[in-house]
C-alpha cells in the first residue's frame, strides 16, 4: 500500500494526526519544499506530533516521509484514467471500453489492498453465527446489496434487504443479538445511519460496515470494517463507476468467505433448490436430478438435506 493510501486510511490515528494527514495530502508536491517547522505551522500541530505521525506510518522521520511521498508520485502514471470522468465527449467504444476496464482494475486493486483479511474473516464469522442477516443501505448501493441478499438466500441463509426507510427502521427495532447487520455507505454520509446504528447498538446486534476509511471514521465502534477504494469524488463525477465496483467486490469477497465456512451445507442447499429454480427449457439436468458437484465434495446421505439456516 502506498504512503498516501496509508495516510488516507488513518488506522489508529488521533484527531491531531488525522488533521496532519489531511494537510499532507492537500499540500501534495508542495510538501517537498517545506521544513518540518513550516508543516507544523500550516497544519496547526507540533513538531513532536509530526514525528509521532511518521512513526505510525512506519517511517523514521519527516525526511523519510518526503522521500516516500516523492517515490509514490514518481510511480503515478500520467496517462492514468480519471475515475470520475473515464471518457470524454465524442469518444467511441475503442476508447471507452479500455478506459472503463482501467477504472475497474485500479479500483479492485485498491480495494484488495485495503480490505484486511482478518477483518473479512471476522465479518464472515459474525454473519455465520447469525439467525438472520439484515442489510442496511440506500440509493445506488441497493443494487449490489440486493444481489448479496439473493446470494445469501441461495445458500440457505435468512436475509433481508429493504429499500423503504420505514422498513429499515422497523427491521432494526425488531433485531437482536442473534441477528447480524451489514451497513453499506461509501461516504458514511447516509443520513439514516444516524438513526439505525444507535438502534442496532441498543439491540445488541453486531454490525459489519462496508465503506471508505473516511466513512468508517464517522462511525467508530462497530464490529468489523471492510474498507473499499476511496478515489471516487462524491459529487464531481459522471456516475458511481468506482464505488459501485468496490462495494460489489467487498460483498462478493464476504459472500465467498461465508460460503466457504460451511461449504458442504451451502452446496447441498443449492442442489436442493435446483429443481425449483432451473430456467424453463434448460436441459442441464432434469427436475429432481442431481447436478454436477465440485471436485472433492461429497453428496449428503439421503434424508439429510439442509433446511434454510435458522
Amino acid at each position: 500500500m502506498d504512503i498516501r493510501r496509508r495516510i488516507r486510511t488513518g488506522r489508529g490515528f488521533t484527531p491531531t494526526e488525522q488533521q496532519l494527514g489531511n494537510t499532507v495530502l492537500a499540500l501534495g508536491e508542495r510538501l517537498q519544499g517545506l521544513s518540518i517547522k513550516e508543516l507544523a505551522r500550516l497544519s496547526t500541530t507540533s513538531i513532536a506530533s509530526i514525528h509521532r505521525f511518521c512513526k505510525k506510518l512506519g517511517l523514521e522521520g519527516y525526511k523519510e516521509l518526503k522521500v516516500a511521498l516523492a517515490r509514490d508520485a514518481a510511480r503515478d502514471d500520467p496517462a492514468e484514467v480519471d475515475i470520475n470522468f473515464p471518457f470524454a465527449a465524442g469518444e467511441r467504444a475503442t476508447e471507452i471500453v479500455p478506459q472503463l476496464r482501467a477504472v475497474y482494475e485500479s479500483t479492485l486493486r485498491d480495494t484488495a489492498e485495503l480490505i484486511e483479511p482478518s477483518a473479512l474473516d471476522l465479518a464472515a464469522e459474525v454473519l455465520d453465527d447469525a439467525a438472520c442477516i439484515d442489510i442496511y443501505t440506500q440509493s445506488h448501493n441497493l443494487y449490489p446489496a440486493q444481489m448479496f441478499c439473493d446470494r445469501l438466500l441461495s445458500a440457505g441463509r435468512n436475509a433481508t434487504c429493504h429499500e423503504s426507510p420505514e422498513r429499515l427502521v422497523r427491521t432494526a427495532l425488531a433485531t437482536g443479538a442473534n441477528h447480524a447487520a451489514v451497513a453499506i455507505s461509501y461516504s458514511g454520509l447516509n443520513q439514516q445511519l444516524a438513526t439505525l446504528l444507535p438502534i442496532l447498538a441498543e439491540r445488541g446486534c453486531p454490525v459489519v460496515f462496508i465503506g471508505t476509511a473516511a466513512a468508517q471514521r464517522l462511525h467508530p465502534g462497530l464490529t468489523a470494517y471492510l474498507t473499499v477504494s476511496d478515489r471516487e469524488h462524491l459529487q464531481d463525477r459522471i456516475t458511481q463507476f468506482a464505488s459501485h465496483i468496490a462495494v460489489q467486490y467487498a460483498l462478493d469477497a464476504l459472500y465467498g468467505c461465508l460460503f466457504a465456512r460451511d461449504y458442504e451445507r451451502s452446496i447441498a442447499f443449492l442442489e436442493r433448490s435446483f429443481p425449483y429454480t432451473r430456467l424453463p427449457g434448460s436441459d442441464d439436468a432434469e427436475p429432481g436430478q442431481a447436478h454436477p458437484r465440485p471436485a472433492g465434495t461429497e453428496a449428503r446421505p439421503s434424508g439429510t438435506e439442509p433446511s434454510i439456516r435458522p
Side-chain angles (χ1 to χ4, degrees):
M1 187 187 304
D2 68 33
I3 195 69
R4 290 168 299 182
R5 187 153 303 282
R6 283 155 59 189
I7 292 172
R8 280 197 291 267
T9 57
R11 294 189 181 98
F13 282 178
T14 65
T16 297
E17 289 160 350
Q18 289 176 12
Q19 176 182 327
L20 179 55
N22 291 337
T23 303
V24 168
L25 294 174
L27 286 167
E29 293 184 2
R30 289 176 292 165
L31 181 75
Q32 300 300 327
L34 298 178
S35 68
I36 191 170
K37 290 182 179 179
E38 290 170 324
L39 176 59
R41 177 177 55 81
L42 287 173
S43 61
T44 62
T45 60
S46 66
I47 291 175
S49 295
I50 295 174
H51 284 304
R52 286 193 294 270
F53 175 76
C54 293
K55 292 291 185 183
K56 283 195 177 179
L57 291 171
L59 305 172
E60 288 301 318
Y62 180 56
K63 287 184 179 179
E64 190 172 343
L65 172 64
K66 292 205 287 187
V67 169
L69 288 166
R71 186 183 299 119
D72 285 349
R75 276 203 304 263
D76 286 346
D77 180 4
E80 185 178 1
V81 175
D82 185 341
I83 279 178
N84 300 296
F85 296 90
F87 50 84
E91 290 188 332
R92 301 176 70 86
T94 52
E95 295 89 22
I96 292 173
V97 169
Q99 286 161 190
L100 284 176
R101 174 182 172 180
V103 170
Y104 280 21
E105 287 176 345
S106 63
T107 301
L108 294 176
R109 183 174 59 250
D110 284 353
T111 303
E113 288 183 353
L114 288 167
I115 292 180
E116 295 285 351
S118 59
L120 197 50
D121 286 337
L122 173 59
E125 180 182 353
V126 168
L127 268 55
D128 192 29
D129 291 340
C132 185
I133 300 165
D134 303 309
I135 306 166
Y136 298 88
T137 193
Q138 65 175 14
S139 188
H140 63 279
N141 286 324
L142 274 168
Y143 300 109
Q146 288 169 344
M147 185 181 298
F148 180 62
C149 183
D150 288 345
R151 289 174 176 171
L152 292 172
L153 293 170
S154 75
R157 306 278 179 161
N158 282 314
T160 71
C161 182
H162 299 301
E163 182 175 357
S164 159
E166 291 83 2
R167 286 192 176 189
L168 290 172
V169 169
R170 288 170 181 153
T171 299
L173 288 168
T175 195
N178 63 332
H179 283 225
V182 176
I184 307 168
S185 179
Y186 182 78
S187 66
L189 300 176
N190 179 344
Q191 293 182 351
Q192 276 201 299
L193 291 178
T195 299
L196 294 169
L197 292 179
I199 294 174
L200 294 170
E202 181 182 310
R203 301 293 298 164
C205 179
V207 178
V208 174
F209 189 94
I210 298 175
T212 63
Q216 294 166 18
R217 288 195 290 271
L218 292 174
H219 305 286
L222 303 179
T223 308
Y225 294 92
L226 304 183
T227 312
V228 301
S229 177
D230 61 354
R231 291 197 288 164
E232 183 178 271
H233 196 280
L234 299 183
Q235 291 182 312
D236 190 15
R237 63 191 176 189
I238 291 177
T239 190
Q240 301 91 350
F241 289 120
S243 58
H244 170 81
I245 199 67
V247 168
Q248 181 69 68
Y249 184 40
L251 288 171
D252 284 352
L254 178 56
Y255 177 75
C257 291
L258 178 61
F259 195 104
R261 287 181 64 87
D262 202 347
Y263 194 94
E264 180 62 24
R265 184 184 185 110
S266 300
I267 285 289
F269 187 88
L270 281 172
E271 290 180 340
R272 185 184 178 194
S273 69
F274 284 155
Y276 307 97
T277 59
R278 63 192 293 269
L279 295 174
S282 65
D283 56 1
D284 56 342
E286 295 299 321
Q289 186 178 13
H291 283 233
R293 298 172 59 81
T297 61
E298 300 292 336
R300 286 182 174 269
S302 175
T304 63
E305 296 92 341
S307 60
I308 196 164
R309 292 287 295 243

